Amino acid sequence: MGRYVAFLRAINVGGHTVKMADLRQSFEALGFANIETFIASGNVIFEATRTGARAASALESRIETALQDDLGYRVDTFIRTAKELRGIAAYQPFGDSEITAPGSRLFVAFVGKPPAAELVDRLMALSGGIDSFRVHGREVYWLVRGRYSDSRFSGTLLERTLGMPATVRGAATVAKIAAKLG
């Protein structure tokens, strides 16, 4: 059995309210085991008989189809293996002094595939002042210096800039999920 985390977009935001028990039930109906939700923002830890990063793409499609049927709207799904998530949580896209500076917050955005170089360049052009970005594989690391409310950047702008769906989590949440995976 492979252990995975599904990061779901559009769960309990924008008028889409989903009970975590219902979400777990959708995953159970797909035959997954040891299902656990982590905070009510669409983070689902589960086990599946198919293993590895290649299997993750097939799992994403299955989950998206099931959630469309169960919830009545599209839920973009971003699967990471336990190993991948531990690497994401451990990755240091910025210096410690930047990340730990008073008021700074680090976010991780999950996307379906590594963005093309020209899209990364377009994203980097938005860096400066409050917001800085690093792209590493299928993750975009976003550092906000100061108050989040002062940033003009958002998940929606990220999606428009990269031309693909994304879902954003706080780096602290990602680290907590990675720690749960052992």
Side-chain angles (χ1 to χ4, degrees), residues 17-165:
T17 303
V18 179
K19 293 179 181 175
M20 294 301 99
D22 294 340
L23 194 56
R24 286 188 299 273
Q25 187 174 15
S26 292
F27 275 67
E28 287 172 7
L30 288 167
F32 301 139
N34 298 316
I35 302 158
E36 180 182 354
T37 54
F38 186 80
I39 66 174
S41 60
N43 309 302
V44 183
I45 301 166
F46 66 99
E47 291 180 359
T49 54
R50 296 181 74 176
T51 62
R54 234 184 332 210
S57 178
L59 293 172
E60 285 172 347
S61 295
R62 284 185 60 211
I63 293 166
E64 286 175 353
T65 299
L67 292 177
Q68 172 79 46
D69 292 345
D70 294 350
L71 303 176
Y73 65 94
R74 181 174 172 82
V75 178
D76 291 299
T77 302
F78 307 91
I79 301 282
R80 299 299 186 263
T81 65
K83 181 181 178 180
E84 287 173 325
L85 194 64
R86 286 190 295 270
I88 292 163
Y91 184 70
Q92 292 293 315
F94 301 94
D96 284 339
S97 62
E98 291 179 283
I99 293 171
T100 60
S104 290
R105 289 190 61 197
L106 181 62
F107 297 91
V108 180
F110 298 91
V111 295
K113 62 182 179 182
E118 65 271 10
L119 298 174
V120 172
D121 290 344
R122 197 180 328 164
L123 176 65
M124 293 307 157
L126 299 174
S127 289
I130 293 173
D131 302 303
S132 290
F133 308 97
R134 300 286 187 277
V135 177
H136 187 255
R138 296 181 296 155
E139 285 71 45
V140 176
Y141 295 84
W142 168 27
L143 179 65
V144 179
R145 293 177 184 86
R147 293 185 314 183
Y148 178 78
S149 61
D150 290 339
S151 172
R152 290 182 289 179
F153 197 75
S154 66
T156 301
L157 181 54
L158 174 68
E159 290 181 327
R160 274 188 279 173
T161 302
L162 296 180
M164 66 179 85

